[in-house]
Each structure stands twice: as structure tokens, then as C-alpha cells.
Amino acid sequence: MPAQQKKIIFCVAGVLSLACALGTAAAIGTQLWVKGTILCKTGALLVNATGQELQKFVGDIQYGLFRGQRVRQCGLGGRPLHFSFFPDLLKIIPASIHVSVILFCTVLIIFALVGAGFFMFNAFGSPYETLHGPVGLYLWSFIACSCGCLIMILFSSEVKIHHLSEKIANFKEGSFTFKTQSEQFADSFWVILVCSLAHFLNALLIRFAGFQFPFSKPKDSGTVTGAADLMY
């Protein structure tokens, strides 16, 4: 492939990596990871609410990695409550999983920035044969993509398996019990998915530029050389 086309491909990959780093950094600071509705089960049972009456006992909840908000409704109107994971909810959440998600987000940002720098270096500089070259580009893209996948797996398990929304909804609730009625992942969670796909696309762009995947065996040129020698 001509050198000019390789530069364009590396520039595109570098811009994608930089956008992923900025997008992940923005996603960490928001509370748009999970949105849902919570039902005040105790209040609904007290008045035997059914049908449209249940809407008076349905509140909202949304949260991210550091903070969130829930609207508590038990028949007397919505009462918003803001909370933070550190230190408010540290005793009721799976802290090891939650901290791991934050750490992998940080690693994703770091390697996305490193990958963006090396992509630009390979586009406008003189690549080395070690980590500055194609092998390094595959490495940065693989690590960033893997971190994105781990973030989604760990956070999904925290929400679905450990019932994170219900634990947050019932935080410091003595006489009322809340039940998650619906929940779905919000924009920031899908930003991580897009970033993972972007880093996977970067690996394909490197291959499209004409570089072999690491650990792939080069074609054996010994037979061709031997045949050429025999001609002389």
C-alpha cells in the first residue's frame, strides 16, 4: 500500500483512539450509566393499589460510577434524593467489582491516549521495529478493547447479578421496601461499547494497511530463493 494511504489510515485510527479516550473520560463523570423505575412495594401493599394507582408508587432512579439520584414515591409525591457511591454506599455495594470498573476505565483512557499518540507517530514519523511499530499498535488496541469488554462485563454483573439498583433504592429505608420495576443501561454504558468496537476497528485498519497480525508466520521464501539460485 502506498505510504500516503498508510498515513491516512493511521490518522483515522489515531483520531478514533483519541475520541474513545475523551468519550470514556466524559462517561466516567456522568450518572447516565443506568436508568430505571422503582416501585414502593410497601406503600402499594398498604393501600392495595392496582392498575393506574400503582403509578403513584413508582419512582425513578439513575446512577453512574460515582453518584446518582433516585426519586422516592410512596403515594405522597416524588422526593428526590442524591447519593454518592463513595463513601455513602460503600458498605452495601460489591465494592471490589465497582472499584475494578473504575480502574479499567482509567486503564482504557490511558491506553487509548497511548494508542492515539503512537498512531500519529507512525503516520508522520519513522516507526521503530519494536513497540513503536505495528506490533505496538496491535498491543495498544488489544489492551484498550479488552478493558472496554471487561468494563461492560463487570458492570453488567454488578447491576444484574448483584441487584445494584434495588440495593441503592433500599439504602437507609427502614419501614419501606422498594423493588426494581424496570432498568436499562443508559448512554455512558453504550459509549464504552462503541469505544471497544472502535479499538477493534483500529486493529483491522492496521491489518488493512498491510501489516500482519503479531505472532503470524511469514511466508517461507526459502523455496523461491532456492529455485532462483538453481537458475544460475
Side-chain angles (χ1 to χ4, degrees), residues 56-74:
K56 296 180 180 180
F57 300 91
V58 176
D60 300 319
I61 186 172
Q62 66 176 16
Y63 55 89
L65 299 182
F66 292 98
R67 65 185 189 276
Q69 177 184 353
R70 68 174 185 177
V71 178
R72 180 180 182 273
Q73 290 206 110
C74 292

mmCIF file with all atom_site columns, all heavy atoms in Angstrom, residues 56-74:
data_model
loop_
_atom_site.group_PDB
_atom_site.id
_atom_site.type_symbol
_atom_site.label_atom_id
_atom_site.label_alt_id
_atom_site.label_comp_id
_atom_site.label_asym_id
_atom_site.label_entity_id
_atom_site.label_seq_id
_atom_site.pdbx_PDB_ins_code
_atom_site.Cartn_x
_atom_site.Cartn_y
_atom_site.Cartn_z
_atom_site.occupancy
_atom_site.B_iso_or_equiv
_atom_site.pdbx_formal_charge
_atom_site.auth_seq_id
_atom_site.auth_comp_id
_atom_site.auth_asym_id
_atom_site.auth_atom_id
_atom_site.pdbx_PDB_model_num
ATOM 1   N N   . LYS A 1 56 ? -48.644 6.019  41.336 1.00 0.00 ? 56 LYS A N   1
ATOM 2   C CA  . LYS A 1 56 ? -48.344 6.924  42.443 1.00 0.00 ? 56 LYS A CA  1
ATOM 3   C C   . LYS A 1 56 ? -47.222 6.391  43.336 1.00 0.00 ? 56 LYS A C   1
ATOM 4   O O   . LYS A 1 56 ? -46.722 7.114  44.208 1.00 0.00 ? 56 LYS A O   1
ATOM 5   C CB  . LYS A 1 56 ? -49.601 7.142  43.286 1.00 0.00 ? 56 LYS A CB  1
ATOM 6   C CG  . LYS A 1 56 ? -50.732 7.827  42.536 1.00 0.00 ? 56 LYS A CG  1
ATOM 7   C CD  . LYS A 1 56 ? -51.936 8.005  43.448 1.00 0.00 ? 56 LYS A CD  1
ATOM 8   C CE  . LYS A 1 56 ? -53.094 8.686  42.716 1.00 0.00 ? 56 LYS A CE  1
ATOM 9   N NZ  . LYS A 1 56 ? -54.277 8.859  43.593 1.00 0.00 ? 56 LYS A NZ  1
ATOM 10  N N   . PHE A 1 57 ? -46.862 5.127  43.128 1.00 0.00 ? 57 PHE A N   1
ATOM 11  C CA  . PHE A 1 57 ? -45.836 4.495  43.958 1.00 0.00 ? 57 PHE A CA  1
ATOM 12  C C   . PHE A 1 57 ? -44.584 4.116  43.142 1.00 0.00 ? 57 PHE A C   1
ATOM 13  O O   . PHE A 1 57 ? -43.749 3.372  43.635 1.00 0.00 ? 57 PHE A O   1
ATOM 14  C CB  . PHE A 1 57 ? -46.406 3.245  44.637 1.00 0.00 ? 57 PHE A CB  1
ATOM 15  C CG  . PHE A 1 57 ? -47.572 3.528  45.537 1.00 0.00 ? 57 PHE A CG  1
ATOM 16  C CD1 . PHE A 1 57 ? -48.870 3.483  45.059 1.00 0.00 ? 57 PHE A CD1 1
ATOM 17  C CD2 . PHE A 1 57 ? -47.364 3.856  46.865 1.00 0.00 ? 57 PHE A CD2 1
ATOM 18  C CE1 . PHE A 1 57 ? -49.942 3.741  45.894 1.00 0.00 ? 57 PHE A CE1 1
ATOM 19  C CE2 . PHE A 1 57 ? -48.427 4.119  47.707 1.00 0.00 ? 57 PHE A CE2 1
ATOM 20  C CZ  . PHE A 1 57 ? -49.725 4.073  47.212 1.00 0.00 ? 57 PHE A CZ  1
ATOM 21  N N   . VAL A 1 58 ? -44.517 4.612  41.922 1.00 0.00 ? 58 VAL A N   1
ATOM 22  C CA  . VAL A 1 58 ? -43.384 4.307  41.042 1.00 0.00 ? 58 VAL A CA  1
ATOM 23  C C   . VAL A 1 58 ? -42.477 5.526  40.952 1.00 0.00 ? 58 VAL A C   1
ATOM 24  O O   . VAL A 1 58 ? -42.907 6.608  40.511 1.00 0.00 ? 58 VAL A O   1
ATOM 25  C CB  . VAL A 1 58 ? -43.854 3.886  39.636 1.00 0.00 ? 58 VAL A CB  1
ATOM 26  C CG1 . VAL A 1 58 ? -42.645 3.661  38.721 1.00 0.00 ? 58 VAL A CG1 1
ATOM 27  C CG2 . VAL A 1 58 ? -44.692 2.619  39.711 1.00 0.00 ? 58 VAL A CG2 1
ATOM 28  N N   . GLY A 1 59 ? -41.235 5.378  41.384 1.00 0.00 ? 59 GLY A N   1
ATOM 29  C CA  . GLY A 1 59 ? -40.256 6.444  41.307 1.00 0.00 ? 59 GLY A CA  1
ATOM 30  C C   . GLY A 1 59 ? -39.193 6.136  40.264 1.00 0.00 ? 59 GLY A C   1
ATOM 31  O O   . GLY A 1 59 ? -39.212 5.085  39.606 1.00 0.00 ? 59 GLY A O   1
ATOM 32  N N   . ASP A 1 60 ? -38.261 7.057  40.105 1.00 0.00 ? 60 ASP A N   1
ATOM 33  C CA  . ASP A 1 60 ? -37.189 6.925  39.119 1.00 0.00 ? 60 ASP A CA  1
ATOM 34  C C   . ASP A 1 60 ? -35.841 6.802  39.816 1.00 0.00 ? 60 ASP A C   1
ATOM 35  O O   . ASP A 1 60 ? -35.662 7.289  40.933 1.00 0.00 ? 60 ASP A O   1
ATOM 36  C CB  . ASP A 1 60 ? -37.166 8.132  38.170 1.00 0.00 ? 60 ASP A CB  1
ATOM 37  C CG  . ASP A 1 60 ? -38.462 8.281  37.403 1.00 0.00 ? 60 ASP A CG  1
ATOM 38  O OD1 . ASP A 1 60 ? -39.005 7.246  36.972 1.00 0.00 ? 60 ASP A OD1 1
ATOM 39  O OD2 . ASP A 1 60 ? -38.936 9.423  37.250 1.00 0.00 ? 60 ASP A OD2 1
ATOM 40  N N   . ILE A 1 61 ? -34.899 6.177  39.111 1.00 0.00 ? 61 ILE A N   1
ATOM 41  C CA  . ILE A 1 61 ? -33.535 6.049  39.617 1.00 0.00 ? 61 ILE A CA  1
ATOM 42  C C   . ILE A 1 61 ? -32.578 6.111  38.447 1.00 0.00 ? 61 ILE A C   1
ATOM 43  O O   . ILE A 1 61 ? -32.851 5.579  37.362 1.00 0.00 ? 61 ILE A O   1
ATOM 44  C CB  . ILE A 1 61 ? -33.347 4.735  40.416 1.00 0.00 ? 61 ILE A CB  1
ATOM 45  C CG1 . ILE A 1 61 ? -31.960 4.698  41.063 1.00 0.00 ? 61 ILE A CG1 1
ATOM 46  C CG2 . ILE A 1 61 ? -33.571 3.527  39.538 1.00 0.00 ? 61 ILE A CG2 1
ATOM 47  C CD1 . ILE A 1 61 ? -31.769 3.533  42.021 1.00 0.00 ? 61 ILE A CD1 1
ATOM 48  N N   . GLN A 1 62 ? -31.474 6.793  38.633 1.00 0.00 ? 62 GLN A N   1
ATOM 49  C CA  . GLN A 1 62 ? -30.384 6.807  37.655 1.00 0.00 ? 62 GLN A CA  1
ATOM 50  C C   . GLN A 1 62 ? -29.074 7.023  38.405 1.00 0.00 ? 62 GLN A C   1
ATOM 51  O O   . GLN A 1 62 ? -29.033 7.727  39.407 1.00 0.00 ? 62 GLN A O   1
ATOM 52  C CB  . GLN A 1 62 ? -30.586 7.895  36.591 1.00 0.00 ? 62 GLN A CB  1
ATOM 53  C CG  . GLN A 1 62 ? -30.510 9.318  37.099 1.00 0.00 ? 62 GLN A CG  1
ATOM 54  C CD  . GLN A 1 62 ? -30.611 10.330 35.974 1.00 0.00 ? 62 GLN A CD  1
ATOM 55  O OE1 . GLN A 1 62 ? -31.023 10.016 34.866 1.00 0.00 ? 62 GLN A OE1 1
ATOM 56  N NE2 . GLN A 1 62 ? -30.212 11.566 36.253 1.00 0.00 ? 62 GLN A NE2 1
ATOM 57  N N   . TYR A 1 63 ? -28.042 6.366  37.904 1.00 0.00 ? 63 TYR A N   1
ATOM 58  C CA  . TYR A 1 63 ? -26.751 6.473  38.582 1.00 0.00 ? 63 TYR A CA  1
ATOM 59  C C   . TYR A 1 63 ? -25.623 6.124  37.621 1.00 0.00 ? 63 TYR A C   1
ATOM 60  O O   . TYR A 1 63 ? -25.830 5.514  36.570 1.00 0.00 ? 63 TYR A O   1
ATOM 61  C CB  . TYR A 1 63 ? -26.697 5.572  39.818 1.00 0.00 ? 63 TYR A CB  1
ATOM 62  C CG  . TYR A 1 63 ? -27.012 4.114  39.563 1.00 0.00 ? 63 TYR A CG  1
ATOM 63  C CD1 . TYR A 1 63 ? -26.017 3.202  39.215 1.00 0.00 ? 63 TYR A CD1 1
ATOM 64  C CD2 . TYR A 1 63 ? -28.313 3.637  39.690 1.00 0.00 ? 63 TYR A CD2 1
ATOM 65  C CE1 . TYR A 1 63 ? -26.312 1.868  39.005 1.00 0.00 ? 63 TYR A CE1 1
ATOM 66  C CE2 . TYR A 1 63 ? -28.621 2.300  39.479 1.00 0.00 ? 63 TYR A CE2 1
ATOM 67  C CZ  . TYR A 1 63 ? -27.607 1.430  39.131 1.00 0.00 ? 63 TYR A CZ  1
ATOM 68  O OH  . TYR A 1 63 ? -27.894 0.100  38.906 1.00 0.00 ? 63 TYR A OH  1
ATOM 69  N N   . GLY A 1 64 ? -24.422 6.534  38.025 1.00 0.00 ? 64 GLY A N   1
ATOM 70  C CA  . GLY A 1 64 ? -23.215 6.222  37.268 1.00 0.00 ? 64 GLY A CA  1
ATOM 71  C C   . GLY A 1 64 ? -22.225 5.489  38.147 1.00 0.00 ? 64 GLY A C   1
ATOM 72  O O   . GLY A 1 64 ? -22.601 4.659  38.964 1.00 0.00 ? 64 GLY A O   1
ATOM 73  N N   . LEU A 1 65 ? -20.948 5.822  37.997 1.00 0.00 ? 65 LEU A N   1
ATOM 74  C CA  . LEU A 1 65 ? -19.915 5.152  38.770 1.00 0.00 ? 65 LEU A CA  1
ATOM 75  C C   . LEU A 1 65 ? -19.615 5.850  40.084 1.00 0.00 ? 65 LEU A C   1
ATOM 76  O O   . LEU A 1 65 ? -19.043 5.230  40.993 1.00 0.00 ? 65 LEU A O   1
ATOM 77  C CB  . LEU A 1 65 ? -18.624 5.058  37.945 1.00 0.00 ? 65 LEU A CB  1
ATOM 78  C CG  . LEU A 1 65 ? -18.709 4.260  36.634 1.00 0.00 ? 65 LEU A CG  1
ATOM 79  C CD1 . LEU A 1 65 ? -17.339 4.233  35.962 1.00 0.00 ? 65 LEU A CD1 1
ATOM 80  C CD2 . LEU A 1 65 ? -19.210 2.858  36.884 1.00 0.00 ? 65 LEU A CD2 1
ATOM 81  N N   . PHE A 1 66 ? -19.981 7.125  40.207 1.00 0.00 ? 66 PHE A N   1
ATOM 82  C CA  . PHE A 1 66 ? -19.645 7.867  41.422 1.00 0.00 ? 66 PHE A CA  1
ATOM 83  C C   . PHE A 1 66 ? -20.868 8.434  42.137 1.00 0.00 ? 66 PHE A C   1
ATOM 84  O O   . PHE A 1 66 ? -20.845 8.576  43.352 1.00 0.00 ? 66 PHE A O   1
ATOM 85  C CB  . PHE A 1 66 ? -18.677 9.015  41.091 1.00 0.00 ? 66 PHE A CB  1
ATOM 86  C CG  . PHE A 1 66 ? -17.319 8.548  40.664 1.00 0.00 ? 66 PHE A CG  1
ATOM 87  C CD1 . PHE A 1 66 ? -16.998 8.464  39.327 1.00 0.00 ? 66 PHE A CD1 1
ATOM 88  C CD2 . PHE A 1 66 ? -16.365 8.190  41.604 1.00 0.00 ? 66 PHE A CD2 1
ATOM 89  C CE1 . PHE A 1 66 ? -15.746 8.029  38.927 1.00 0.00 ? 66 PHE A CE1 1
ATOM 90  C CE2 . PHE A 1 66 ? -15.112 7.753  41.221 1.00 0.00 ? 66 PHE A CE2 1
ATOM 91  C CZ  . PHE A 1 66 ? -14.804 7.672  39.880 1.00 0.00 ? 66 PHE A CZ  1
ATOM 92  N N   . ARG A 1 67 ? -21.897 8.749  41.405 1.00 0.00 ? 67 ARG A N   1
ATOM 93  C CA  . ARG A 1 67 ? -23.056 9.370  42.047 1.00 0.00 ? 67 ARG A CA  1
ATOM 94  C C   . ARG A 1 67 ? -24.317 9.026  41.265 1.00 0.00 ? 67 ARG A C   1
ATOM 95  O O   . ARG A 1 67 ? -24.257 8.445  40.178 1.00 0.00 ? 67 ARG A O   1
ATOM 96  C CB  . ARG A 1 67 ? -22.880 10.886 42.119 1.00 0.00 ? 67 ARG A CB  1
ATOM 97  C CG  . ARG A 1 67 ? -22.856 11.571 40.760 1.00 0.00 ? 67 ARG A CG  1
ATOM 98  C CD  . ARG A 1 67 ? -22.550 13.052 40.894 1.00 0.00 ? 67 ARG A CD  1
ATOM 99  N NE  . ARG A 1 67 ? -22.722 13.762 39.639 1.00 0.00 ? 67 ARG A NE  1
ATOM 100 C CZ  . ARG A 1 67 ? -21.812 13.839 38.695 1.00 0.00 ? 67 ARG A CZ  1
ATOM 101 N NH1 . ARG A 1 67 ? -20.639 13.242 38.875 1.00 0.00 ? 67 ARG A NH1 1
ATOM 102 N NH2 . ARG A 1 67 ? -22.048 14.516 37.583 1.00 0.00 ? 67 ARG A NH2 1
ATOM 103 N N   . GLY A 1 68 ? -25.453 9.401  41.863 1.00 0.00 ? 68 GLY A N   1
ATOM 104 C CA  . GLY A 1 68 ? -26.722 9.131  41.218 1.00 0.00 ? 68 GLY A CA  1
ATOM 105 C C   . GLY A 1 68 ? -27.850 9.876  41.902 1.00 0.00 ? 68 GLY A C   1
ATOM 106 O O   . GLY A 1 68 ? -27.639 10.683 42.822 1.00 0.00 ? 68 GLY A O   1
ATOM 107 N N   . GLN A 1 69 ? -29.063 9.584  41.462 1.00 0.00 ? 69 GLN A N   1
ATOM 108 C CA  . GLN A 1 69 ? -30.246 10.228 42.017 1.00 0.00 ? 69 GLN A CA  1
ATOM 109 C C   . GLN A 1 69 ? -31.414 9.251  41.952 1.00 0.00 ? 69 GLN A C   1
ATOM 110 O O   . GLN A 1 69 ? -31.580 8.518  40.974 1.00 0.00 ? 69 GLN A O   1
ATOM 111 C CB  . GLN A 1 69 ? -30.590 11.502 41.245 1.00 0.00 ? 69 GLN A CB  1
ATOM 112 C CG  . GLN A 1 69 ? -31.863 12.188 41.715 1.00 0.00 ? 69 GLN A CG  1
ATOM 113 C CD  . GLN A 1 69 ? -32.221 13.391 40.861 1.00 0.00 ? 69 GLN A CD  1
ATOM 114 O OE1 . GLN A 1 69 ? -31.463 13.798 40.006 1.00 0.00 ? 69 GLN A OE1 1
ATOM 115 N NE2 . GLN A 1 69 ? -33.388 13.950 41.108 1.00 0.00 ? 69 GLN A NE2 1
ATOM 116 N N   . ARG A 1 70 ? -32.223 9.246  42.980 1.00 0.00 ? 70 ARG A N   1
ATOM 117 C CA  . ARG A 1 70 ? -33.455 8.465  42.979 1.00 0.00 ? 70 ARG A CA  1
ATOM 118 C C   . ARG A 1 70 ? -34.604 9.355  43.419 1.00 0.00 ? 70 ARG A C   1
ATOM 119 O O   . ARG A 1 70 ? -34.429 10.253 44.244 1.00 0.00 ? 70 ARG A O   1
ATOM 120 C CB  . ARG A 1 70 ? -33.340 7.254  43.900 1.00 0.00 ? 70 ARG A CB  1
ATOM 121 C CG  . ARG A 1 70 ? -33.262 7.589  45.370 1.00 0.00 ? 70 ARG A CG  1
ATOM 122 C CD  . ARG A 1 70 ? -33.288 6.370  46.253 1.00 0.00 ? 70 ARG A CD  1
ATOM 123 N NE  . ARG A 1 70 ? -33.327 6.747  47.664 1.00 0.00 ? 70 ARG A NE  1
ATOM 124 C CZ  . ARG A 1 70 ? -33.418 5.880  48.655 1.00 0.00 ? 70 ARG A CZ  1
ATOM 125 N NH1 . ARG A 1 70 ? -33.444 4.594  48.398 1.00 0.00 ? 70 ARG A NH1 1
ATOM 126 N NH2 . ARG A 1 70 ? -33.456 6.298  49.911 1.00 0.00 ? 70 ARG A NH2 1
ATOM 127 N N   . VAL A 1 71 ? -35.761 9.117  42.838 1.00 0.00 ? 71 VAL A N   1
ATOM 128 C CA  . VAL A 1 71 ? -36.980 9.845  43.202 1.00 0.00 ? 71 VAL A CA  1
ATOM 129 C C   . VAL A 1 71 ? -37.886 8.859  43.909 1.00 0.00 ? 71 VAL A C   1
ATOM 130 O O   . VAL A 1 71 ? -38.394 7.910  43.309 1.00 0.00 ? 71 VAL A O   1
ATOM 131 C CB  . VAL A 1 71 ? -37.667 10.445 41.963 1.00 0.00 ? 71 VAL A CB  1
ATOM 132 C CG1 . VAL A 1 71 ? -38.953 11.155 42.376 1.00 0.00 ? 71 VAL A CG1 1
ATOM 133 C CG2 . VAL A 1 71 ? -36.737 11.406 41.250 1.00 0.00 ? 71 VAL A CG2 1
ATOM 134 N N   . ARG A 1 72 ? -38.080 9.076  45.176 1.00 0.00 ? 72 ARG A N   1
ATOM 135 C CA  . ARG A 1 72 ? -38.845 8.173  46.043 1.00 0.00 ? 72 ARG A CA  1
ATOM 136 C C   . ARG A 1 72 ? -40.314 8.588  46.036 1.00 0.00 ? 72 ARG A C   1
ATOM 137 O O   . ARG A 1 72 ? -40.651 9.704  46.414 1.00 0.00 ? 72 ARG A O   1
ATOM 138 C CB  . ARG A 1 72 ? -38.251 8.236  47.446 1.00 0.00 ? 72 ARG A CB  1
ATOM 139 C CG  . ARG A 1 72 ? -38.893 7.377  48.499 1.00 0.00 ? 72 ARG A CG  1
ATOM 140 C CD  . ARG A 1 72 ? -38.135 7.611  49.791 1.00 0.00 ? 72 ARG A CD  1
ATOM 141 N NE  . ARG A 1 72 ? -38.622 6.790  50.886 1.00 0.00 ? 72 ARG A NE  1
ATOM 142 C CZ  . ARG A 1 72 ? -39.623 7.128  51.685 1.00 0.00 ? 72 ARG A CZ  1
ATOM 143 N NH1 . ARG A 1 72 ? -40.245 8.283  51.481 1.00 0.00 ? 72 ARG A NH1 1
ATOM 144 N NH2 . ARG A 1 72 ? -40.006 6.330  52.670 1.00 0.00 ? 72 ARG A NH2 1
ATOM 145 N N   . GLN A 1 73 ? -41.173 7.669  45.613 1.00 0.00 ? 73 GLN A N   1
ATOM 146 C CA  . GLN A 1 73 ? -42.605 7.954  45.583 1.00 0.00 ? 73 GLN A CA  1
ATOM 147 C C   . GLN A 1 73 ? -43.354 6.870  46.355 1.00 0.00 ? 73 GLN A C   1
ATOM 148 O O   . GLN A 1 73 ? -43.298 5.703  45.994 1.00 0.00 ? 73 GLN A O   1
ATOM 149 C CB  . GLN A 1 73 ? -43.130 8.008  44.152 1.00 0.00 ? 73 GLN A CB  1
ATOM 150 C CG  . GLN A 1 73 ? -42.655 9.212  43.366 1.00 0.00 ? 73 GLN A CG  1
ATOM 151 C CD  . GLN A 1 73 ? -43.629 9.593  42.262 1.00 0.00 ? 73 GLN A CD  1
ATOM 152 O OE1 . GLN A 1 73 ? -44.291 10.613 42.331 1.00 0.00 ? 73 GLN A OE1 1
ATOM 153 N NE2 . GLN A 1 73 ? -43.691 8.759  41.250 1.00 0.00 ? 73 GLN A NE2 1
ATOM 154 N N   . CYS A 1 74 ? -44.044 7.282  47.395 1.00 0.00 ? 74 CYS A N   1
ATOM 155 C CA  . CYS A 1 74 ? -44.843 6.353  48.201 1.00 0.00 ? 74 CYS A CA  1
ATOM 156 C C   . CYS A 1 74 ? -46.259 6.877  48.383 1.00 0.00 ? 74 CYS A C   1
ATOM 157 O O   . CYS A 1 74 ? -46.849 6.791  49.470 1.00 0.00 ? 74 CYS A O   1
ATOM 158 C CB  . CYS A 1 74 ? -44.187 6.107  49.553 1.00 0.00 ? 74 CYS A CB  1
ATOM 159 S SG  . CYS A 1 74 ? -42.637 5.197  49.440 1.00 0.00 ? 74 CYS A SG  1
#
